[in-house]
Amino acid sequence: MKKILVTGGLGFIGSHTVVELQNAGFDVTIIDDLSNSKIEVLESIKEITGKLPEFYQIDLKVKKDVTDFFNNNNIDGIIHFAAFKAVGESVKKPLEYYENNIGSLVYLLQEMRDRSIDNFIFSSSCTVYGQADELPITEEAPIKKAESPYGNTKQIGEEIIRDTCKANGLNAISLRYFNPIGAHESAKIGELPLGVPQNLIPYVTQTAAGIREQLSVFGDDYNTPDGTAIRDYIHVVDLAKAHIAALQRLLQKENKNNFEFFNVGTGKGSSVLEIVTAFEKATNQKLNYKIAPRREGDITAAYADTNLANSELKWKTEKSIEEALQSAWEWQKKQ
């Protein structure tokens, strides 16, 4: 049984991926510093899969602790989620983002190099494209100057991985996510931001639940049909399954280059107001929202061309926006 390390494995995408890994028969070890997650998620994963993953509370910015972990564990592959991820916050706290997102990546890759560990999946983002010239966005789209420090950490992260693959023969796949939403059908795990949500859907569900007074729609003057920004919203379970497909590709040596990257989305864009309407329809909840000024670092529109991931990873999305929003609401109601 292959032993896979999942960093940030108690977070939103990480926890769903751990579930899919365990369901697929992998032996999973989680590292998480609990800076934006809760230890209770570990028990929820056990409830869903029947198996408790091994867990280490480690701050990946502490090089000695990372080395100590690898001295005591034999790992067959790594899926690296652990990172700060809020665009707006990164504009205000660039140094924290660079230290956390770049430092931890470098320390992991050094351990992989020194121990000849292969198979690395990187949690990247469509933010690497900036505001693309053409939609939908293909993997051939140019990497534009990053719109935020967060986006820049993903660009730099990919460059570091590419250079490491070239120098040390590592095999890696970077998955460029679009906008993950939703929750597991059991409603035992979901998106649980600590503090004020930075992403749209938790703010929507918390507003519907009365935790937040009002949803702010940032900008209605974008060059889109209804003036609000357009994103490609993908169900988190579909996204989690893309990681299994990517991992299998590396383990079975089916990769065509030792560094590959794939867009992971639905291929369809939805505006913020379309999401509001779809949520209201899916849940019969009325949302109190207002139009607010644009946020710094936000782009007008982004949605994926998913043909490469569909053909090479033999993966495609299966769940609808409505299913994702309904599952997010069922999760919210249990909080």
Side-chain angles (χ1 to χ4, degrees):
M1 192 185 293
K2 297 290 187 186
K3 189 168 187 177
I4 306 303
L5 169 63
V6 181
T7 71
L10 296 185
F12 175 40
I13 306 168
S15 61
H16 287 82
T17 302
V18 169
V19 165
E20 296 303 326
L21 282 166
Q22 293 199 157
N23 286 343
F26 289 98
D27 186 13
V28 180
T29 298
I30 294 171
I31 285 179
D32 200 301
D33 68 357
L34 301 179
S35 64
N36 195 32
S37 57
K38 291 188 174 178
I39 192 65
E40 290 80 11
V41 175
L42 201 58
E43 191 58 38
S44 300
I45 291 170
K46 183 189 174 187
E47 288 175 17
I48 294 169
T49 65
K51 185 178 181 188
L52 188 70
E54 202 171 17
F55 173 72
Y56 293 82
Q57 185 175 347
I58 293 172
D59 183 346
L60 293 173
K61 297 194 298 295
V62 182
K63 184 176 172 61
K64 180 186 180 301
D65 292 352
V66 178
T67 300
D68 287 348
F69 168 83
F70 281 93
N71 283 339
N72 294 301
N73 291 275
N74 292 317
I75 298 296
D76 295 302
I78 298 175
I79 303 180
H80 181 43
F81 293 106
F84 295 156
K85 59 173 188 165
V87 169
E89 183 184 61
S90 77
V91 174
K92 298 187 181 78
K93 298 180 175 179
L95 292 176
E96 287 82 351
Y97 270 68
Y98 288 117
E99 179 190 30
N100 189 61
N101 294 9
I102 302 302
S104 60
L105 172 64
V106 168
Y107 295 158
L108 282 172
L109 292 173
Q110 286 172 336
E111 297 299 331
M112 294 184 77
R113 175 199 64 196
D114 295 346
R115 298 160 200 277
S116 300
I117 300 169
D118 214 345
N119 310 313
F120 188 75
I121 311 288
F122 181 57
S123 166
S124 191
S125 167
C126 63
T127 56
V128 300
Y129 298 113
Q131 180 58 67
D133 298 324
E134 294 179 14
L135 294 170
I137 300 169
T138 72
E139 286 82 357
E140 302 301 313
I143 302 296
K144 297 280 195 71
K145 184 181 185 312
E147 301 275 340
S148 67
Y150 164 73
N152 204 23
T153 66
K154 294 303 183 185
Q155 290 184 1
I156 295 167
E158 288 198 1
E159 289 169 6
I160 290 169
I161 296 165
R162 182 181 287 108
D163 290 343
T164 305
C165 288
K166 193 174 176 182
N168 302 112
L170 175 73
N171 284 299
I173 291 177
S174 181
L175 297 180
R176 294 172 177 171
Y177 314 158
F178 281 68
N179 292 66
I181 63 171
H184 193 267
E185 62 186 8
S186 66
K188 291 183 187 296
I189 55 174
E191 190 167 10
L192 186 63
L194 304 186
V196 179
Q198 301 281 341
N199 293 341
L200 175 62
I201 303 307
Y203 218 112
V204 165
T205 59
Q206 288 187 16
T207 303
I211 298 166
R212 307 284 161 198
E213 187 183 341
Q214 196 171 45
L215 169 71
S216 292
V217 174
F218 296 109
D220 66 347
D221 58 349
Y222 286 102
N223 183 23
T224 63
D226 64 19
T228 62
I230 290 174
R231 298 289 183 270
D232 185 337
Y233 296 95
I234 176 174
H235 197 299
V236 66
V237 173
D238 282 333
L239 175 57
K241 288 177 177 175
H243 292 79
I244 315 306
L247 182 63
Q248 297 282 23
R249 181 176 176 86
L250 292 181
L251 291 171
Q252 292 161 17
K253 305 267 185 276
E254 292 172 346
N255 50 313
K256 293 175 179 170
N257 298 292
N258 62 353
F259 178 61
E260 298 182 318
F261 44 90
F262 299 97
N263 289 339
V264 186
T266 65
K268 179 181 180 296
S270 301
S271 74
V272 177
L273 288 182
E274 284 174 334
I275 290 292
V276 167
T277 303
F279 178 83
E280 290 180 336
K281 190 175 172 188
T283 63
N284 290 317
Q285 299 294 314
K286 201 77 185 137
L287 274 179
N288 178 25
Y289 70 89
K290 66 172 183 184
I291 304 299
R294 292 187 187 193
R295 284 187 307 192
E296 192 177 355
D298 278 347
I299 59 172
T300 300
Y303 53 95
D305 182 317
T306 60
N307 286 321
L308 192 65
N310 298 160
S311 61
E312 291 293 324
L313 298 179
K314 312 288 190 288
W315 164 91
K316 65 177 192 304
T317 55
E318 296 170 356
K319 297 178 181 292
S320 68
I321 285 274
E322 289 72 24
E323 284 177 271
L325 294 170
Q326 181 67 48
S327 67
W329 178 234
E330 294 305 320
W331 158 252
Q332 180 67 61
K333 288 192 290 187
K334 290 186 68 174
Q335 300 317 301

